[in-house]
Amino acid sequence: MQPPPANGRTSPAATVDLQLAHQGSFPVPEQQQFELWIDAVLRAHQITAAELTIRTVDSDESQTLNRDYRGKDKPTNVLSFPFESDMPLPVRLLGDLVICVPLMQQEAIEQGKKPLDHWAHLVVHGTLHLLGYDHIDDSEADRMERLEVELLAQFDIADPYTKEPIQSHE
């Protein structure tokens, strides 16, 4: 489930600050897995090194952030907060991803997806947002979705936008 490192590189291109702030016994992928998913996105954009934060949260924190920053008073599966600065920095800071773990788990069940596959999709989707992708209009959405499908295929993850449940790869 891991694509080979680009150009023989063994260290990840992504440095991830993983903040586990959710409650409950929901399983969370290992940091290395997050780095592999993000590395796939970075390689596709010829980015050799970048840093970002992934924060896992409960529904209440997701709803507060979604309300305060997007004007939508409900939890959402992933929020992306791109880092912006005019100051030159020694490392490329992408920003923050906030993933609502209970909602992510609920969606995986409702959509018939393996939780790990849904984690991968949300991380890839959110990282693309950090790089400036959006899905406000149909052409942008189509472009972003095609790229997500292509990146996830590297991990043998089926198209997350299909309406049929994804079959197990086991």
Side-chain angles (χ1 to χ4, degrees), residues 1 93 103:
M1 188 169 190
L93 297 177
L103 184 54

Side-chain angles (χ1 to χ4, degrees), residues 9 11-17 31-32 34-43 47-52 54 91-92 94 127:
R9 183 178 68 228
S11 62
T15 301
V16 177
D17 174 21
Q31 179 150 344
Q32 181 182 20
F34 285 110
E35 291 169 349
L36 287 170
W37 295 326
I38 296 163
D39 280 356
V41 177
L42 298 180
R43 278 193 313 275
I47 298 171
T48 58
E51 293 184 12
L52 71 148
I54 296 177
V91 66
R92 182 170 184 175
L94 295 182
T127 303

Side-chain angles (χ1 to χ4, degrees), residues 46-103:
Q46 291 80 45
I47 298 171
T48 58
E51 293 184 12
L52 71 148
T53 296
I54 296 177
R55 180 175 174 83
T56 65
V57 300
D58 292 317
S59 296
D60 289 346
E61 185 172 344
S62 175
Q63 182 167 346
T64 298
L65 291 168
N66 201 23
R67 181 192 64 229
D68 293 352
Y69 289 94
R70 297 181 63 227
K72 298 182 180 189
D73 195 13
K74 62 181 183 177
T76 188
N77 54 15
V78 62
L79 289 165
S80 302
F81 297 96
F83 178 79
E84 298 176 7
S85 174
D86 294 332
M87 302 278 296
L89 299 171
V91 66
R92 182 170 184 175
L93 297 177
L94 295 182
D96 301 335
L97 296 181
V98 178
I99 298 175
C100 180
V101 178
L103 184 54

Side-chain angles (χ1 to χ4, degrees), residues 117-162:
D117 290 356
H118 199 40
W119 273 106
H121 180 218
L122 294 182
V123 169
V124 166
H125 183 88
T127 303
L128 288 172
H129 276 307
L130 294 178
L131 293 176
Y133 286 82
D134 214 329
H135 43 77
I136 294 172
D137 67 42
D138 289 344
S139 65
E140 289 178 357
D142 289 344
R143 179 175 173 237
M144 187 172 177
E145 287 177 12
R146 279 193 309 272
L147 185 53
E148 289 173 51
V149 169
E150 183 180 305
L151 292 165
L152 291 169
Q154 295 176 30
F155 299 96
D156 295 322
I157 298 173
D159 180 346
Y161 295 104
T162 61

